[in-house]
Amino acid sequence: MLHPDLVLRKSPISGKGLLARRMIPKGTILWVPSHMRVYSTSQYDKFTGPYKALLRKYTYEDEKGNLIYCTDSSKYWNHSCNPNSAPSAPDEEMDMAVRDIKAGEEVTYDYVLLWTRGDKPFKCSCGGKGCRGTVRKEPSGSRTVRRIYAQSEKARRCMNKVRQPLLKG
Ligand SMILES: [Zn+2]
């Protein structure tokens, strides 16, 4: 489920994206798991080429190798090499703003964390600071991955000080 202030719009990065309707402060949870379909490897193997391509574009892989497809707009979350969101913690399935997201700004995530079997390195034109140019699979302890988790650890300190519409009740 997406934060209520994220709306689907034309993306300045690629295709459609999720833009903030108003400022969303650092530490805000932006997504919690819901509206998901889970495909096992054997289910995936039975699909035809075009459907496999669609699944590869819009899914991510969980730790068991299943493909997770979000049926809501969260699948339009675009990549940036300098993203403003990240997992709230390495072992938590929630995403959080790691800095203040301005009104009108697109919410982004580093796809290095969403690498799916069969994904190929892709050229990036995110325009983010430190854009890697080509995004490729990296080991879990890579500098990029460590930087992402260091950012989310800092942002967690703000979690209890900000409005959390997704954590109510
Ligand atoms: Zn980039």
Side-chain angles (χ1 to χ4, degrees):
M1 185 185 288
L2 278 170
H3 189 286
D5 290 333
L6 291 176
V7 287
L8 190 62
R9 293 279 185 272
K10 189 175 164 6
S11 159
I13 298 172
S14 168
K16 290 178 193 168
L18 299 167
L19 276 66
R21 203 174 359 211
R22 57 174 72 100
M23 199 279 271
I24 301 177
K26 177 164 132 180
T28 306
I29 296 298
L30 301 174
W31 180 84
V32 294
S34 75
H35 302 84
M36 290 147 73
R37 247 178 245 160
V38 181
Y39 296 100
S40 67
T41 310
S42 59
Q43 284 175 311
Y44 172 80
D45 289 341
K46 284 180 199 144
F47 289 125
T48 56
Y51 201 65
K52 276 183 178 158
L54 184 87
L55 283 180
R56 277 202 307 274
K57 179 167 179 174
Y58 287 118
T59 57
Y60 64 93
E61 211 171 285
D62 71 7
E63 69 286 352
K64 295 181 197 127
N66 296 316
L67 291 174
I68 312 297
Y69 177 77
C70 292
T71 57
D72 66 3
S73 301
S74 47
K75 60 180 167 292
Y76 294 108
W77 210 296
N78 274 317
H79 164 88
S80 169
C81 299
N82 183 26
N84 50 25
S85 73
S88 51
D91 52 351
E92 268 176 8
E93 215 183 338
M94 295 197 294
D95 295 321
M96 166 192 270
V98 294
R99 56 174 180 266
D100 291 346
I101 300 172
K102 295 192 275 287
E105 190 181 343
E106 181 169 2
V107 71
T108 54
Y109 195 86
D110 198 318
Y111 279 14
V112 75
L113 299 180
L114 298 178
W115 214 261
T116 304
R117 170 183 52 239
D119 278 354
K120 304 252 182 330
F122 65 91
K123 292 257 174 281
C124 181
S125 49
C126 68
K129 200 173 85 183
C131 176
R132 302 195 288 283
T134 300
V135 179
R136 55 186 85 244
K137 187 173 167 68
E138 293 185 27
S140 55
S142 77
R143 225 171 73 184
T144 311
V145 174
R146 289 201 317 266
R147 181 177 43 78
I148 294 167
Y149 286 121
Q151 265 187 325
S152 68
E153 202 182 311
K154 272 193 201 158
R156 280 182 78 88
R157 294 177 204 153
C158 307
M159 253 183 104
N160 298 328
K161 297 174 197 152
V162 297
R163 208 170 59 90
Q164 297 285 7
L166 294 185
L167 299 183
K168 270 188 285 189

